[in-house]
Each structure stands twice: as C-alpha cells, then as structure tokens.
C-alpha cells in the first residue's frame, strides 16, 4: 500500500463498528474481547462522536469520545469529552493519522460548544503532550502484606454491619454511594446511564485463576454506606496458604465505614496479600496501616486533561485562595486559546477573560491542563522550566490558588 494514499476521516457508522473495534484491539496487541465486554463497549459507543480513518476500504485508525461530567475544584460537574479508543494501524504509523484524528476531535468538541475540557487516559504518556494534554491526576497501587501489616482503626468500626451481596443485586445501592462521592473529589466522573455495568463486568476468561467478582456492603443505621468489590486467588507455598485478594473497588461515605471495609479485606481467610489497583494519592488507608513499606505503594499517572476553551474552563472551577493573575497561554494546536487571559477568583467563583494587560505568568495549555484539577502544582512545573514567572510573587499566588485540599482521582475508567 503506497504511502501517498490519502487517509479519510469519517464518522463511524453502526454497520462498521465490528471492523473498527477489531482494528482497535489489534493495534493494542490484545486478544479478542470477551463477548460480554464487546457488547458493553458497543452499547456505550457514541457513534456520532467516533471516528474511523480509512485508507480505501480499510480502517486504519480509530478514535472516540464519551460525553462526561467531571468534578472540578469547588465541586462543580463540568462537561468533558472523554477521549477513548484511539489507535493507528501499525501499517500507517507516522503518516499523520493520529494528528488528523486529534485535530478533528478537538475541532468537533469546540464546535459543539458544551465541553470546555477533554480528558483521556494514555497507554503511552509521551503521545499526548503535543496535543495539549497534561497529566492532571495520579493514582496509587499497592501490594500489602496483610500477614505483617496491621490496621489502626477509628472508634465505631465495630458498629458497622458488613454483609456479602451479589454484585448485580446491590448495584443500584452501590451506585448511589458512588454518586454521593463524585462531588467530593476533583477528577471523578458522574456515571452516565449504562456505565454502571462496567463495575460488575467479570468475564471468566479475564480472571487469571481468581474467583468470580465478589461484593460486600457496609451498613450503618440500616443504610448502605459503602462497598467493596474484589476477587480472591488461592495459593499455597512451602509454609502454607499464600492467597491474594484483588481489590477492584472500594467506596465509603465516611471514615468509619472505610476503615471497616479495609479491616474486612485484611481479614479474609487464607489470604496473605491484598493487591490494590487504584486509590487516590491521599487515600486514608495509608494512615491506617502499621508499616507503609510493607505495602509497597507505587505511583503512576492517570488522567490527562486538555483545556478546549481556556476562559470557560478556568471560570468553571473555584480557587482555594484569592487570585488575580494574567496568564500568557501558548497553544499551537488550538490557537483560539493562545494569548493573554486575566483570571480572578476565590472560593466562591471565578472569571477568566481576554486582556491586553501585561502577563504575570507564561505557560502552555499543557501546563494548565496538568494544574487544572489541583493535583500538579504550578510550583513544580515552574521548577521544571515549564512555567515562567514574569511578575514577582505571581507564581506563589497562582500555585496556592490552583491547589485542591483533596487530591484529584479518576476511579472511573473509560
């Protein structure tokens, strides 16, 4: 196939979805998706927001977007385009296919006029910075030696009632807990209809020798106040049992419920390791354990945020200290954002408007995306040479204001 062939972008047709999906899986080197996962992904696909790159009659690139609402500092739920299912066929790399899809996506998001943000999780972090995405949330995983690590529990834990339940049967109650938590933490996504099914998806072919998905719910005063979803994998070593609990989800409305759920996970019979896949970097569990080193915590990047409309996005969140700064924003990929913006705000609200005043800080839209949810500080970006202070004192003012008392986190994969 000649390299001079023109690739054409088209909105995905329902009749082409199977081919499109297969191209995606091939690009990621993954085995075929289980039937139940494939059916769910198809049902969640927003066809009018999904793109296929065609070379003749062959699909060589895929990209999609979901219509989400993301919590930002201050608790508001801001519309955000959830960029997803991005791939380019190995036969068509370095021909501008990815750039053309990213260009079309952001142009479409801007044209819709309802989403000032785009967000994605990156299979390869180096890819998306050039398109203006900055690492905005991080997550902690852990492998906890529950045979040696103990928990220091708050008063009242013994008053929490725990019971086993079918993950599907208690799904509505668990979703109510999740929905109540969404406004409390930046980065969390309000669950759109259909997405609740992802939390209980459990294809046998993907269990890796572990049990089926299990669930326990916590109750206080007759109300469900938290839940865990997990599986177990039994193992035996020379000294006896050596099983692993694999935690999928843990959610709690109050500290006592959360502590009770961690105690439950630590105490499952015949298990010596608790494998924790994703928790916020400021998760309470770190302060409950007796020996953090034996938990082997690991940090990694998670959500990447891109401001599609700088003025609207910066006006949509609040700021934890008064701020009045002029930002000189560089944005080569979305030039409508480039230029000077005066941001004024505090804990009650904010405005961000075009200005001709002298700039206080100079940065690219990538840095704004990284700092937007309060998890990456402007100070750290400045130390890396990616933010320049042009007025003395403006960096401290903005860095404090952009912060968040709660670390952003994205527990809702897409």
């Amino acid at each position: 196939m000649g390299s001079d062939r023109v690739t054409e972008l088209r909105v995905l047709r329902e009749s082409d979805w199977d081919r499109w999906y297969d191209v995606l899986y091939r690009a990621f080197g993954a085995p075929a998706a289980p039937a139940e996962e494939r059916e769910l992904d198809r049902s969640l696909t927003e066809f009018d927001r999904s793109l296929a790159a065609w070379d003749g009659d062959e699909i060589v690139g895929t990209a999609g977007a979901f219509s989400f609402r993301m919590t930002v500092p201050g608790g508001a739920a801001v519309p955000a385009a959830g960029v997803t299912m991005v791939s380019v066929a190995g036969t068509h790399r370095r021909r501008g296919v990815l750039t053309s899809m990213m260009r079309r996506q952001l142009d479409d998001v801007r044209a819709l006029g309802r989403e000032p943000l785009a967000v994605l999780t990156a299979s390869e972090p180096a890819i998306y910075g050039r398109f203006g995405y900055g690492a905005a949330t991080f997550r902690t995983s852990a492998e906890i030696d529950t045979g040696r690590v103990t928990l220091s529990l708050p008063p009242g834990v013994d008053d929490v009632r725990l019971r086993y339940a079918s993950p599907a049967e208690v799904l509505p109650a668990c979703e109510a807990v999740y929905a109540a938590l969404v406004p409390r933490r930046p980065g969390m996504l309000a669950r759109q209809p259909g997405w609740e099914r992802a939390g209980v998806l459990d294809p046998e072919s993907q269990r890796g020798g572990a049990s089926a998905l299990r669930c326990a719910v916590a109750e206080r005063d007759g109300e469900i106040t938290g839940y865990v979803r997990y599986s177990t994998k039994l193992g035996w070593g020379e000294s006896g049992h050596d099983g692993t609990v694999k935690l999928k989800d843990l959610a709690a409305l109050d500290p006592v419920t959360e502590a009770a759920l961690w105690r439950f996970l630590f105490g499952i019979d015949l298990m010596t390791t608790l494998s924790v896949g994703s928790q916020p970097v400021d998760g309470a569990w770190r302060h409950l354990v007796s020996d953090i080193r034996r938990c082997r915590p690991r940090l990694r990047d998670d959500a990447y945020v891109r401001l599609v409309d700088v003025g609207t996005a910066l006006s949509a969140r609040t700021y934890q200290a008064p701020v009045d700064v002029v930002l000189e924003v560089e944005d080569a990929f979305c030039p409508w954002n480039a230029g000077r913006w005066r941001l004024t705000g505090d804990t009650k609200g904010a405005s961000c408007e075009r200005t001709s005043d002298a700039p206080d800080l100079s940065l690219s839209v990538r840095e704004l995306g990284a700092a937007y949810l309060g998890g990456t500080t402007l100070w750290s970006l400045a130390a890396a040479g990616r933010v320049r202070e042009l007025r003395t004192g403006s960096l401290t003012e903005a860095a404090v204001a952009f912060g968040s008392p709660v670390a952003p986190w994205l527990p809702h994969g897409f």
Side-chain angles (χ1 to χ4, degrees):
M1 192 171 293
S3 62
D4 58 343
R5 294 279 292 270
V6 175
T7 302
E8 179 186 2
L9 291 184
R10 303 179 204 161
V11 174
L12 180 64
R13 299 180 302 185
E14 291 193 36
S15 59
D16 292 322
W17 186 89
D18 286 307
R19 295 174 62 191
W20 182 84
Y21 192 74
D22 290 342
V23 168
L24 171 72
Y25 263 71
R26 182 180 63 196
F28 277 88
E36 54 266 59
E37 181 178 336
R38 190 180 184 99
E39 184 276 325
L40 177 60
D41 285 345
R42 183 183 181 103
S43 72
L44 294 173
T45 299
E46 298 184 32
F47 285 90
D48 60 338
R49 307 198 70 179
S50 301
L51 299 172
W54 293 82
D55 184 347
D57 60 359
E58 180 184 3
I59 297 176
V60 297
T62 66
F66 296 119
S67 303
F68 288 141
R69 298 184 70 85
M70 172 177 275
T71 301
V72 301
V78 175
V83 175
T84 188
M85 296 188 177
V86 179
S87 74
V88 176
T91 54
H92 286 67
R93 295 182 63 196
R94 298 182 176 85
R95 297 192 193 178
V97 177
L98 176 61
T99 298
S100 67
M101 293 191 297
M102 293 292 100
R103 167 81 282 133
R104 172 70 177 271
Q105 268 197 336
L106 290 171
D107 286 345
D108 287 351
V109 172
R110 185 192 185 208
L112 282 173
R114 64 173 184 251
E115 295 162 334
L117 302 173
V119 59
L120 58 82
T121 57
S123 59
E124 298 181 76
I127 293 176
Y128 293 99
R130 66 183 184 270
F131 304 123
Y133 289 87
T137 77
F138 293 80
R139 72 187 192 205
T140 300
S141 60
E143 297 290 325
I144 303 175
D145 181 350
T146 53
R148 297 187 179 184
V149 178
T150 59
L151 294 171
S152 177
L153 302 171
V157 169
D158 291 335
D159 297 328
V160 178
R161 177 175 181 260
L162 299 179
R163 62 179 174 89
Y164 290 108
S166 161
E169 289 178 2
V170 293
L171 184 56
C174 293
E175 285 299 295
V177 171
Y178 175 86
L181 294 173
V182 168
R184 300 186 188 182
R185 187 179 291 274
M188 292 189 69
L189 299 176
R191 203 96 79 193
Q192 300 302 309
W195 278 97
E196 72 282 353
R197 293 170 56 197
V200 295
L201 190 68
D202 183 35
E204 185 174 358
S205 61
Q206 294 185 350
R207 292 175 186 167
S211 70
L213 186 68
R214 293 169 175 159
C215 181
V217 295
E219 296 178 342
R220 300 186 73 185
D221 300 323
E223 300 291 331
I224 292 179
T225 54
Y227 62 91
V228 288
R229 299 188 188 117
Y230 68 98
S231 61
T232 56
K233 185 175 183 179
L234 187 60
W236 295 92
E238 293 182 359
S239 58
H241 59 83
D242 187 23
T244 298
V245 178
K246 298 183 176 182
L247 175 62
K248 182 173 184 178
D249 298 304
L250 186 152
L253 296 178
D254 59 80
V256 173
T257 296
E258 179 162 356
L261 291 171
W262 284 109
R263 181 174 68 172
F264 165 77
L265 293 169
F266 270 60
I268 296 175
D269 286 342
L270 304 180
M271 303 293 133
T272 58
T273 300
L274 172 58
S275 180
V276 180
S278 176
Q279 286 290 299
V281 298
D282 61 350
W285 70 272
R286 300 180 306 117
H287 306 292
L288 298 176
V289 297
S290 60
D291 188 341
I292 191 65
R293 295 180 189 176
R294 292 192 182 276
C295 298
R296 288 177 286 169
R298 297 181 303 279
L299 180 72
R300 64 157 289 176
D301 56 297
D302 204 0
Y304 285 71
V305 169
R306 210 261 189 236
L307 277 63
V308 181
D309 182 328
V310 165
T312 302
L314 292 180
S315 299
R317 56 157 293 179
T318 63
Y319 298 84
Q320 64 177 1
V323 63
D324 184 355
V325 293
V326 175
L327 306 173
E328 181 85 59
V329 179
E330 302 169 14
D331 193 347
F333 202 69
C334 295
W336 58 81
N337 284 324
R340 297 177 186 177
W341 298 85
R342 177 175 289 278
L343 170 65
T344 58
D346 55 24
T347 58
K348 298 179 180 178
S351 66
C352 187
E353 305 289 343
R354 288 282 187 182
T355 185
S356 58
D357 293 345
D360 300 318
L361 296 174
S362 175
L363 71 173
S364 82
V365 74
R366 178 182 178 183
E367 282 65 64
L368 275 181
Y372 182 73
L373 296 176
T376 300
T377 72
L378 291 172
W379 259 112
S380 65
L381 294 167
R386 291 168 54 184
V387 175
R388 291 190 301 125
E389 183 180 48
L390 305 176
R391 173 177 62 83
T392 301
S394 63
L395 177 59
T396 297
E397 177 187 351
V400 172
F402 267 78
S404 169
V406 181
W409 181 45
L410 179 66
H412 180 321
F414 59 92

